[in-house]
Amino acid sequence: MTPALRYVLLWIAGSMLGVMAALRPLGAAFSNGQYFPANGDAFYHARRILDAVMGGNAVLQFDDKIHVPEGSWLTWPWGYDTVMAWITGLFGPYADEAAANRVLMNIPPAAMTIAIALAVFIARQLRLPFILAVAFVLGFASLPQVHLQFAVGNIDHHFAELLWTMGTLSAGLWFFRGESKRLAAGVTLGLVLGTAVAIHNGMFVLQIPIALTLALVWLRGISLPGRQALCAFAVALLATTALMCAFSEPWRRGFFEFYTLSWFHFYVAAIVAAFSAALAFVPRSPRNIGLLVVAAIAALIPLAGNMMLGGDFVSGDFEMIRSVTEAQSPYELYWTSGESMSTRLLSWLMWLTLPMSLLHLWWLWRSRDVATQFISIACVLGLAYV
């Protein structure tokens, strides 16, 4: 059996396991011959998506039926619901919304196959022995939290966020591994990060591990990706972000805020792009280190207010989301609500967060392999978020 065939079979096995688990809530999502959204957020996404599918219009960006009487700009960007509407529309036309729902509500389980493929790619890029690759992929496919994100009827945007996060890890490893086609890897990484902000406005944080890895590698005097690759990444990131923003009404109206897809997100991408390109041409020296630090601080000043708001949002301290279960610490939930609200979803692996963070910090200190440093930075930041 060739290595390629072994990994294809691993993808098939992982996909079967993941899809079957994602279809377990079918009894709750399908009743009396109709599909229903799994929760309140999924219901609102369904409203935007089905309005676009059935009416042929662009997805709603301002809703005058919420926060009555003034209405409100929607915090969810246009991208996710537009893609979901496009996929659903491919199987139309539909007699009514119930018919469209038969396709729409089953997109998340189908997308599980993409998540498993990305898990296989990541395992290969990490050069795991095949037995460890099997444990990684099947372990991922067995996580209850993953099943929840891809569950039938759960058309909330979280499964797409997971796909883009895994896409960033995969493209980042390709970019930093540097064995072949680094120019294509840089473009791919820029495309993934640039489109991420159209899935959710908070996804700009995926650019942070890339920027930190580049900074650390440069400071330690380790070879960076080539100038062409860094410039290709910078151009792809900025151009793709600009394209995503161009379809956002808040951006067209000149908004500069974290809470909607706006000039804030374009500005962040511009900083990361400029910083990445600069490292390709600026040699490491005490003087240049000082200049880049000053420039970075100056560039971050316009973001200060929004960064505080974003920090509260990410940490769960934002007043409007304090009561939202998904924004609360799983450890707090364990002590206040019992294991059914934490370990049941995250599994008992949640207790490995601290030791795994320490292990990645040790690898970050000891290793001079750029790909290892990237994955360790990403893991430390991701585990801290948990």
Short mmCIF file of all heavy atoms in Angstrom, two decimals, residues 62-124:
data_model
loop_
_atom_site.label_atom_id
_atom_site.label_comp_id
_atom_site.label_asym_id
_atom_site.label_seq_id
_atom_site.Cartn_x
_atom_site.Cartn_y
_atom_site.Cartn_z
N PHE A 62 -27.86 45.29 7.09
CA PHE A 62 -28.52 46.14 8.09
C PHE A 62 -29.93 45.62 8.28
O PHE A 62 -30.65 45.39 7.31
CB PHE A 62 -28.55 47.60 7.65
CG PHE A 62 -29.19 48.51 8.66
CD1 PHE A 62 -28.43 49.10 9.67
CD2 PHE A 62 -30.55 48.78 8.63
CE1 PHE A 62 -29.02 49.94 10.61
CE2 PHE A 62 -31.15 49.61 9.57
CZ PHE A 62 -30.37 50.19 10.56
N ASP A 63 -30.31 45.41 9.53
CA ASP A 63 -31.63 44.84 9.82
C ASP A 63 -32.44 45.85 10.63
O ASP A 63 -32.08 46.19 11.76
CB ASP A 63 -31.48 43.54 10.61
CG ASP A 63 -32.78 42.75 10.68
OD1 ASP A 63 -33.85 43.33 10.39
OD2 ASP A 63 -32.73 41.55 11.03
N ASP A 64 -33.52 46.32 10.03
CA ASP A 64 -34.37 47.31 10.73
C ASP A 64 -35.38 46.63 11.65
O ASP A 64 -36.17 47.31 12.31
CB ASP A 64 -35.10 48.20 9.72
CG ASP A 64 -35.96 47.41 8.75
OD1 ASP A 64 -36.07 46.18 8.90
OD2 ASP A 64 -36.51 48.04 7.82
N LYS A 65 -35.32 45.31 11.73
CA LYS A 65 -36.25 44.59 12.58
C LYS A 65 -35.63 44.15 13.90
O LYS A 65 -36.26 43.44 14.69
CB LYS A 65 -36.81 43.37 11.84
CG LYS A 65 -37.67 43.72 10.63
CD LYS A 65 -38.22 42.47 9.97
CE LYS A 65 -39.20 42.83 8.86
NZ LYS A 65 -38.56 43.59 7.78
N ILE A 66 -34.38 44.53 14.16
CA ILE A 66 -33.76 44.25 15.45
C ILE A 66 -33.37 45.57 16.10
O ILE A 66 -33.19 46.59 15.41
CB ILE A 66 -32.53 43.32 15.32
CG1 ILE A 66 -31.46 43.95 14.45
CG2 ILE A 66 -32.94 41.97 14.77
CD1 ILE A 66 -30.19 43.11 14.39
N HIS A 67 -33.22 45.56 17.40
CA HIS A 67 -32.95 46.80 18.15
C HIS A 67 -33.93 47.90 17.73
O HIS A 67 -33.56 49.04 17.45
CB HIS A 67 -31.51 47.27 17.93
CG HIS A 67 -30.49 46.30 18.41
ND1 HIS A 67 -30.27 46.03 19.74
CD2 HIS A 67 -29.64 45.50 17.72
CE1 HIS A 67 -29.31 45.11 19.85
NE2 HIS A 67 -28.93 44.77 18.64
N VAL A 68 -35.19 47.50 17.68
CA VAL A 68 -36.26 48.42 17.28
C VAL A 68 -36.30 49.62 18.24
O VAL A 68 -36.13 49.45 19.45
CB VAL A 68 -37.61 47.68 17.28
CG1 VAL A 68 -38.76 48.62 16.94
CG2 VAL A 68 -37.56 46.51 16.28
N PRO A 69 -36.50 50.86 17.75
CA PRO A 69 -36.90 51.18 16.37
C PRO A 69 -35.74 51.55 15.44
O PRO A 69 -35.95 51.76 14.25
CB PRO A 69 -37.81 52.40 16.58
CG PRO A 69 -37.17 53.10 17.74
CD PRO A 69 -36.64 52.01 18.66
N GLU A 70 -34.53 51.68 15.97
CA GLU A 70 -33.47 52.22 15.13
C GLU A 70 -32.84 51.19 14.20
O GLU A 70 -32.19 51.53 13.22
CB GLU A 70 -32.37 52.86 16.01
CG GLU A 70 -31.56 51.88 16.84
CD GLU A 70 -32.22 51.59 18.18
OE1 GLU A 70 -33.39 51.99 18.38
OE2 GLU A 70 -31.55 50.96 19.02
N GLY A 71 -33.02 49.88 14.50
CA GLY A 71 -32.37 48.86 13.69
C GLY A 71 -30.89 48.76 14.04
O GLY A 71 -30.39 49.48 14.91
N SER A 72 -30.17 47.88 13.35
CA SER A 72 -28.76 47.70 13.68
C SER A 72 -28.00 47.09 12.51
O SER A 72 -28.55 46.29 11.74
CB SER A 72 -28.61 46.78 14.90
OG SER A 72 -27.25 46.52 15.18
N TRP A 73 -26.72 47.50 12.39
CA TRP A 73 -25.82 46.80 11.50
C TRP A 73 -25.53 45.42 12.09
O TRP A 73 -25.38 45.28 13.29
CB TRP A 73 -24.50 47.58 11.34
CG TRP A 73 -24.67 48.87 10.61
CD1 TRP A 73 -24.74 50.12 11.14
CD2 TRP A 73 -24.82 49.01 9.19
NE1 TRP A 73 -24.94 51.05 10.15
CE2 TRP A 73 -24.98 50.40 8.94
CE3 TRP A 73 -24.84 48.13 8.12
CZ2 TRP A 73 -25.15 50.90 7.66
CZ3 TRP A 73 -25.01 48.63 6.83
CH2 TRP A 73 -25.16 50.01 6.62
N LEU A 74 -25.46 44.43 11.23
CA LEU A 74 -25.25 43.07 11.70
C LEU A 74 -23.76 42.82 11.92
O LEU A 74 -22.92 43.19 11.10
CB LEU A 74 -25.80 42.07 10.68
CG LEU A 74 -27.30 42.22 10.40
CD1 LEU A 74 -27.77 41.19 9.38
CD2 LEU A 74 -28.11 42.07 11.69
N THR A 75 -23.46 42.20 13.05
CA THR A 75 -22.06 41.95 13.38
C THR A 75 -21.47 40.80 12.57
O THR A 75 -20.25 40.66 12.51
CB THR A 75 -21.92 41.63 14.88
OG1 THR A 75 -22.70 40.47 15.18
CG2 THR A 75 -22.41 42.78 15.72
N TRP A 76 -22.30 39.98 11.97
CA TRP A 76 -21.80 38.90 11.12
C TRP A 76 -21.53 39.45 9.72
O TRP A 76 -22.42 40.01 9.08
CB TRP A 76 -22.82 37.76 11.01
CG TRP A 76 -23.00 37.02 12.31
CD1 TRP A 76 -22.03 36.69 13.21
CD2 TRP A 76 -24.23 36.51 12.84
NE1 TRP A 76 -22.56 36.01 14.27
CE2 TRP A 76 -23.92 35.88 14.07
CE3 TRP A 76 -25.55 36.52 12.40
CZ2 TRP A 76 -24.87 35.27 14.86
CZ3 TRP A 76 -26.51 35.90 13.18
CH2 TRP A 76 -26.16 35.29 14.39
N PRO A 77 -20.32 39.30 9.21
CA PRO A 77 -20.02 39.81 7.86
C PRO A 77 -20.83 39.10 6.79
O PRO A 77 -21.51 38.10 7.04
CB PRO A 77 -18.51 39.51 7.71
CG PRO A 77 -18.01 39.28 9.10
CD PRO A 77 -19.16 38.71 9.86
N TRP A 78 -20.70 39.60 5.59
CA TRP A 78 -21.51 39.10 4.47
C TRP A 78 -21.03 37.74 3.95
O TRP A 78 -21.82 36.98 3.37
CB TRP A 78 -21.44 40.10 3.31
CG TRP A 78 -20.04 40.24 2.76
CD1 TRP A 78 -19.06 41.07 3.21
CD2 TRP A 78 -19.47 39.48 1.69
NE1 TRP A 78 -17.90 40.89 2.49
CE2 TRP A 78 -18.13 39.92 1.55
CE3 TRP A 78 -19.95 38.47 0.85
CZ2 TRP A 78 -17.26 39.38 0.60
CZ3 TRP A 78 -19.08 37.94 -0.10
CH2 TRP A 78 -17.76 38.40 -0.22
N GLY A 79 -19.77 37.39 4.16
CA GLY A 79 -19.17 36.28 3.44
C GLY A 79 -19.76 34.92 3.72
O GLY A 79 -20.09 34.17 2.78
N TYR A 80 -19.88 34.57 5.00
CA TYR A 80 -20.34 33.22 5.35
C TYR A 80 -21.73 32.95 4.80
O TYR A 80 -21.96 31.94 4.13
CB TYR A 80 -20.32 33.04 6.87
CG TYR A 80 -21.03 31.80 7.33
CD1 TYR A 80 -20.45 30.55 7.16
CD2 TYR A 80 -22.30 31.87 7.92
CE1 TYR A 80 -21.11 29.39 7.55
CE2 TYR A 80 -22.96 30.71 8.33
CZ TYR A 80 -22.36 29.48 8.14
OH TYR A 80 -23.01 28.35 8.54
N ASP A 81 -22.68 33.85 5.07
CA ASP A 81 -24.05 33.62 4.63
C ASP A 81 -24.16 33.65 3.12
O ASP A 81 -25.00 32.95 2.53
CB ASP A 81 -24.98 34.65 5.26
CG ASP A 81 -25.16 34.43 6.76
OD1 ASP A 81 -25.20 33.26 7.18
OD2 ASP A 81 -25.21 35.41 7.51
N THR A 82 -23.32 34.45 2.46
CA THR A 82 -23.34 34.50 1.00
C THR A 82 -22.89 33.17 0.41
O THR A 82 -23.51 32.65 -0.53
CB THR A 82 -22.43 35.63 0.49
OG1 THR A 82 -22.94 36.89 0.95
CG2 THR A 82 -22.38 35.65 -1.03
N VAL A 83 -21.82 32.60 0.94
CA VAL A 83 -21.34 31.30 0.45
C VAL A 83 -22.37 30.21 0.72
O VAL A 83 -22.64 29.36 -0.14
CB VAL A 83 -19.99 30.94 1.09
CG1 VAL A 83 -19.58 29.51 0.73
CG2 VAL A 83 -18.91 31.92 0.63
N MET A 84 -22.98 30.24 1.92
CA MET A 84 -24.00 29.24 2.24
C MET A 84 -25.20 29.38 1.29
O MET A 84 -25.79 28.37 0.87
CB MET A 84 -24.44 29.41 3.69
CG MET A 84 -23.36 29.06 4.70
SD MET A 84 -23.01 27.30 4.80
CE MET A 84 -24.36 26.75 5.84
N ALA A 85 -25.58 30.61 0.97
CA ALA A 85 -26.68 30.84 0.03
C ALA A 85 -26.31 30.35 -1.36
O ALA A 85 -27.14 29.76 -2.07
CB ALA A 85 -27.04 32.32 0.01
N TRP A 86 -25.06 30.57 -1.76
CA TRP A 86 -24.61 30.13 -3.08
C TRP A 86 -24.63 28.60 -3.18
O TRP A 86 -25.11 28.05 -4.18
CB TRP A 86 -23.21 30.67 -3.34
CG TRP A 86 -22.61 30.21 -4.64
CD1 TRP A 86 -22.93 30.64 -5.89
CD2 TRP A 86 -21.62 29.18 -4.80
NE1 TRP A 86 -22.18 29.97 -6.84
CE2 TRP A 86 -21.37 29.07 -6.19
CE3 TRP A 86 -20.92 28.38 -3.92
CZ2 TRP A 86 -20.44 28.16 -6.70
CZ3 TRP A 86 -19.98 27.48 -4.42
CH2 TRP A 86 -19.77 27.37 -5.80
N ILE A 87 -24.13 27.92 -2.14
CA ILE A 87 -24.13 26.45 -2.15
C ILE A 87 -25.56 25.92 -2.19
O ILE A 87 -25.89 25.02 -2.96
CB ILE A 87 -23.39 25.90 -0.92
CG1 ILE A 87 -21.91 26.28 -0.96
CG2 ILE A 87 -23.54 24.38 -0.84
CD1 ILE A 87 -21.15 25.94 0.31
N THR A 88 -26.42 26.50 -1.35
CA THR A 88 -27.82 26.06 -1.32
C THR A 88 -28.48 26.30 -2.67
O THR A 88 -29.22 25.44 -3.17
CB THR A 88 -28.58 26.80 -0.22
OG1 THR A 88 -27.92 26.61 1.04
CG2 THR A 88 -30.01 26.30 -0.11
N GLY A 89 -28.21 27.45 -3.26
CA GLY A 89 -28.83 27.79 -4.54
C GLY A 89 -28.42 26.88 -5.68
O GLY A 89 -29.16 26.73 -6.67
N LEU A 90 -27.24 26.24 -5.58
CA LEU A 90 -26.79 25.33 -6.63
C LEU A 90 -27.75 24.17 -6.84
O LEU A 90 -27.82 23.60 -7.94
CB LEU A 90 -25.39 24.78 -6.28
CG LEU A 90 -24.20 25.73 -6.43
CD1 LEU A 90 -22.93 25.03 -5.98
CD2 LEU A 90 -24.06 26.19 -7.88
N PHE A 91 -28.47 23.80 -5.78
CA PHE A 91 -29.36 22.64 -5.86
C PHE A 91 -30.81 23.05 -6.11
O PHE A 91 -31.69 22.19 -6.07
CB PHE A 91 -29.26 21.83 -4.56
CG PHE A 91 -27.90 21.25 -4.32
CD1 PHE A 91 -26.93 22.00 -3.64
CD2 PHE A 91 -27.57 20.00 -4.77
CE1 PHE A 91 -25.66 21.48 -3.41
CE2 PHE A 91 -26.30 19.46 -4.55
CZ PHE A 91 -25.34 20.22 -3.87
N GLY A 92 -31.05 24.34 -6.34
CA GLY A 92 -32.39 24.84 -6.59
C GLY A 92 -32.75 24.79 -8.06
O GLY A 92 -32.05 24.18 -8.86
N PRO A 93 -33.86 25.44 -8.45
CA PRO A 93 -34.74 26.27 -7.61
C PRO A 93 -35.63 25.41 -6.70
O PRO A 93 -35.79 24.21 -6.92
CB PRO A 93 -35.59 27.03 -8.63
CG PRO A 93 -35.62 26.12 -9.83
CD PRO A 93 -34.29 25.42 -9.87
N TYR A 94 -36.18 26.08 -5.68
CA TYR A 94 -36.97 25.40 -4.67
C TYR A 94 -38.40 25.91 -4.68
O TYR A 94 -38.66 27.10 -4.94
CB TYR A 94 -36.36 25.63 -3.29
CG TYR A 94 -34.93 25.16 -3.17
CD1 TYR A 94 -33.88 26.07 -3.24
CD2 TYR A 94 -34.63 23.81 -2.99
CE1 TYR A 94 -32.56 25.65 -3.14
CE2 TYR A 94 -33.32 23.38 -2.88
CZ TYR A 94 -32.28 24.30 -2.96
OH TYR A 94 -30.98 23.88 -2.86
N ALA A 95 -39.30 25.01 -4.36
CA ALA A 95 -40.71 25.39 -4.30
C ALA A 95 -40.99 26.29 -3.11
O ALA A 95 -41.83 27.19 -3.16
CB ALA A 95 -41.59 24.14 -4.23
N ASP A 96 -40.27 26.04 -1.99
CA ASP A 96 -40.48 26.84 -0.80
C ASP A 96 -39.23 26.72 0.08
O ASP A 96 -38.28 26.01 -0.24
CB ASP A 96 -41.73 26.39 -0.02
CG ASP A 96 -41.75 24.88 0.22
OD1 ASP A 96 -40.66 24.29 0.42
OD2 ASP A 96 -42.84 24.28 0.20
N GLU A 97 -39.25 27.43 1.20
CA GLU A 97 -38.08 27.44 2.09
C GLU A 97 -37.84 26.07 2.72
O GLU A 97 -36.70 25.70 3.00
CB GLU A 97 -38.26 28.51 3.18
CG GLU A 97 -38.18 29.92 2.66
CD GLU A 97 -38.21 30.95 3.76
OE1 GLU A 97 -38.44 30.57 4.93
OE2 GLU A 97 -38.00 32.15 3.47
N ALA A 98 -38.89 25.32 2.96
CA ALA A 98 -38.73 23.99 3.54
C ALA A 98 -37.89 23.10 2.62
O ALA A 98 -37.05 22.32 3.08
CB ALA A 98 -40.09 23.35 3.80
N ALA A 99 -38.09 23.24 1.33
CA ALA A 99 -37.31 22.45 0.36
C ALA A 99 -35.85 22.90 0.37
O ALA A 99 -34.94 22.08 0.31
CB ALA A 99 -37.92 22.59 -1.03
N ALA A 100 -35.63 24.21 0.45
CA ALA A 100 -34.26 24.73 0.50
C ALA A 100 -33.55 24.28 1.78
O ALA A 100 -32.33 24.03 1.78
CB ALA A 100 -34.28 26.25 0.40
N ASN A 101 -34.29 24.19 2.85
CA ASN A 101 -33.71 23.77 4.13
C ASN A 101 -33.16 22.35 4.08
O ASN A 101 -32.23 22.02 4.83
CB ASN A 101 -34.76 23.86 5.25
CG ASN A 101 -34.66 25.17 6.00
OD1 ASN A 101 -33.63 25.84 5.99
ND2 ASN A 101 -35.73 25.55 6.67
N ARG A 102 -33.70 21.51 3.23
CA ARG A 102 -33.22 20.13 3.13
C ARG A 102 -31.76 20.10 2.68
O ARG A 102 -31.02 19.18 3.03
CB ARG A 102 -34.10 19.33 2.17
CG ARG A 102 -35.56 19.24 2.59
CD ARG A 102 -36.35 18.39 1.62
NE ARG A 102 -36.04 16.98 1.77
CZ ARG A 102 -36.63 16.17 2.63
NH1 ARG A 102 -37.58 16.62 3.43
NH2 ARG A 102 -36.29 14.90 2.69
N VAL A 103 -31.36 21.09 1.92
CA VAL A 103 -29.96 21.22 1.51
C VAL A 103 -29.18 22.01 2.55
O VAL A 103 -28.12 21.58 3.03
CB VAL A 103 -29.85 21.91 0.13
CG1 VAL A 103 -28.39 22.21 -0.21
CG2 VAL A 103 -30.47 21.03 -0.95
N LEU A 104 -29.71 23.16 2.92
CA LEU A 104 -28.99 24.07 3.80
C LEU A 104 -28.59 23.42 5.12
O LEU A 104 -27.43 23.54 5.56
CB LEU A 104 -29.85 25.31 4.07
CG LEU A 104 -29.30 26.34 5.07
CD1 LEU A 104 -27.96 26.89 4.61
CD2 LEU A 104 -30.32 27.47 5.29
N MET A 105 -29.51 22.73 5.76
CA MET A 105 -29.24 22.18 7.09
C MET A 105 -28.26 21.01 7.08
O MET A 105 -27.77 20.60 8.13
CB MET A 105 -30.56 21.75 7.76
CG MET A 105 -31.53 22.90 7.97
SD MET A 105 -30.83 24.20 9.02
CE MET A 105 -31.94 25.56 8.65
N ASN A 106 -27.98 20.49 5.89
CA ASN A 106 -27.04 19.37 5.79
C ASN A 106 -25.66 19.79 5.30
O ASN A 106 -24.78 18.93 5.13
CB ASN A 106 -27.61 18.29 4.86
CG ASN A 106 -28.69 17.46 5.54
OD1 ASN A 106 -28.41 16.65 6.41
ND2 ASN A 106 -29.94 17.68 5.15
N ILE A 107 -25.45 21.07 5.09
CA ILE A 107 -24.13 21.53 4.66
C ILE A 107 -23.06 21.31 5.74
O ILE A 107 -21.96 20.85 5.43
CB ILE A 107 -24.18 23.02 4.23
CG1 ILE A 107 -25.01 23.16 2.95
CG2 ILE A 107 -22.78 23.58 4.02
CD1 ILE A 107 -25.19 24.60 2.49
N PRO A 108 -23.34 21.61 7.03
CA PRO A 108 -22.29 21.38 8.04
C PRO A 108 -21.77 19.94 8.10
O PRO A 108 -20.55 19.74 8.10
CB PRO A 108 -22.97 21.81 9.35
CG PRO A 108 -23.98 22.83 8.92
CD PRO A 108 -24.50 22.32 7.62
N PRO A 109 -22.65 18.90 8.13
CA PRO A 109 -22.09 17.54 8.13
C PRO A 109 -21.25 17.25 6.89
O PRO A 109 -20.23 16.56 6.96
CB PRO A 109 -23.33 16.65 8.19
CG PRO A 109 -24.39 17.50 8.78
CD PRO A 109 -24.12 18.88 8.29
N ALA A 110 -21.69 17.77 5.73
CA ALA A 110 -20.91 17.57 4.51
C ALA A 110 -19.54 18.24 4.62
O ALA A 110 -18.54 17.72 4.13
CB ALA A 110 -21.68 18.10 3.30
N ALA A 111 -19.50 19.41 5.28
CA ALA A 111 -18.25 20.14 5.45
C ALA A 111 -17.28 19.43 6.38
O ALA A 111 -16.09 19.74 6.40
CB ALA A 111 -18.52 21.56 5.95
N MET A 112 -17.78 18.47 7.16
CA MET A 112 -16.90 17.69 8.03
C MET A 112 -15.81 17.00 7.21
O MET A 112 -14.67 16.84 7.67
CB MET A 112 -17.72 16.66 8.80
CG MET A 112 -16.89 15.69 9.65
SD MET A 112 -16.07 16.46 11.05
CE MET A 112 -17.40 16.39 12.27
N THR A 113 -16.13 16.58 6.00
CA THR A 113 -15.14 15.91 5.16
C THR A 113 -13.98 16.85 4.83
O THR A 113 -12.83 16.40 4.69
CB THR A 113 -15.78 15.40 3.87
OG1 THR A 113 -16.33 16.50 3.13
CG2 THR A 113 -16.89 14.40 4.17
N ILE A 114 -14.26 18.14 4.71
CA ILE A 114 -13.19 19.12 4.44
C ILE A 114 -12.32 19.28 5.68
O ILE A 114 -11.09 19.35 5.59
CB ILE A 114 -13.80 20.48 4.04
CG1 ILE A 114 -14.68 20.33 2.80
CG2 ILE A 114 -12.70 21.50 3.79
CD1 ILE A 114 -15.42 21.59 2.41
N ALA A 115 -12.95 19.32 6.85
CA ALA A 115 -12.19 19.45 8.10
C ALA A 115 -11.26 18.25 8.28
O ALA A 115 -10.10 18.41 8.70
CB ALA A 115 -13.15 19.57 9.28
N ILE A 116 -11.74 17.05 7.97
CA ILE A 116 -10.91 15.86 8.11
C ILE A 116 -9.76 15.90 7.11
O ILE A 116 -8.62 15.51 7.43
CB ILE A 116 -11.74 14.58 7.93
CG1 ILE A 116 -12.85 14.51 8.99
CG2 ILE A 116 -10.86 13.35 8.01
CD1 ILE A 116 -12.35 14.50 10.42
N ALA A 117 -10.02 16.37 5.90
CA ALA A 117 -8.95 16.51 4.90
C ALA A 117 -7.87 17.47 5.40
O ALA A 117 -6.67 17.20 5.25
CB ALA A 117 -9.53 16.99 3.57
N LEU A 118 -8.28 18.57 6.00
CA LEU A 118 -7.31 19.52 6.54
C LEU A 118 -6.52 18.90 7.69
O LEU A 118 -5.32 19.14 7.83
CB LEU A 118 -8.03 20.79 7.00
CG LEU A 118 -8.55 21.69 5.88
CD1 LEU A 118 -9.46 22.79 6.45
CD2 LEU A 118 -7.40 22.33 5.11
N ALA A 119 -7.21 18.09 8.52
CA ALA A 119 -6.50 17.40 9.61
C ALA A 119 -5.44 16.46 9.05
O ALA A 119 -4.33 16.35 9.59
CB ALA A 119 -7.50 16.64 10.49
N VAL A 120 -5.77 15.76 7.96
CA VAL A 120 -4.79 14.87 7.32
C VAL A 120 -3.62 15.67 6.77
O VAL A 120 -2.45 15.28 6.94
CB VAL A 120 -5.47 14.05 6.20
CG1 VAL A 120 -4.43 13.27 5.40
CG2 VAL A 120 -6.51 13.10 6.78
N PHE A 121 -3.90 16.81 6.12
CA PHE A 121 -2.83 17.65 5.59
C PHE A 121 -1.91 18.13 6.71
O PHE A 121 -0.68 18.12 6.57
CB PHE A 121 -3.43 18.86 4.87
CG PHE A 121 -4.13 18.52 3.57
CD1 PHE A 121 -5.15 19.32 3.09
CD2 PHE A 121 -3.78 17.39 2.85
CE1 PHE A 121 -5.80 19.02 1.92
CE2 PHE A 121 -4.43 17.08 1.66
CZ PHE A 121 -5.45 17.90 1.20
N ILE A 122 -2.50 18.55 7.82
CA ILE A 122 -1.71 19.05 8.94
C ILE A 122 -0.83 17.93 9.50
O ILE A 122 0.35 18.16 9.80
CB ILE A 122 -2.62 19.65 10.03
CG1 ILE A 122 -3.29 20.94 9.52
CG2 ILE A 122 -1.84 19.93 11.31
CD1 ILE A 122 -4.38 21.46 10.42
N ALA A 123 -1.39 16.74 9.63
CA ALA A 123 -0.61 15.61 10.13
C ALA A 123 0.58 15.32 9.23
O ALA A 123 1.70 15.06 9.70
CB ALA A 123 -1.50 14.37 10.24
N ARG A 124 0.38 15.39 7.92
CA ARG A 124 1.47 15.15 6.99
C ARG A 124 2.51 16.26 7.05
O ARG A 124 3.71 16.00 6.99
CB ARG A 124 0.93 15.01 5.56
CG ARG A 124 0.01 13.82 5.36
CD ARG A 124 -0.02 13.35 3.93
NE ARG A 124 1.28 12.76 3.53
CZ ARG A 124 1.51 12.22 2.34
NH1 ARG A 124 0.54 12.18 1.43
NH2 ARG A 124 2.68 11.71 2.04
#
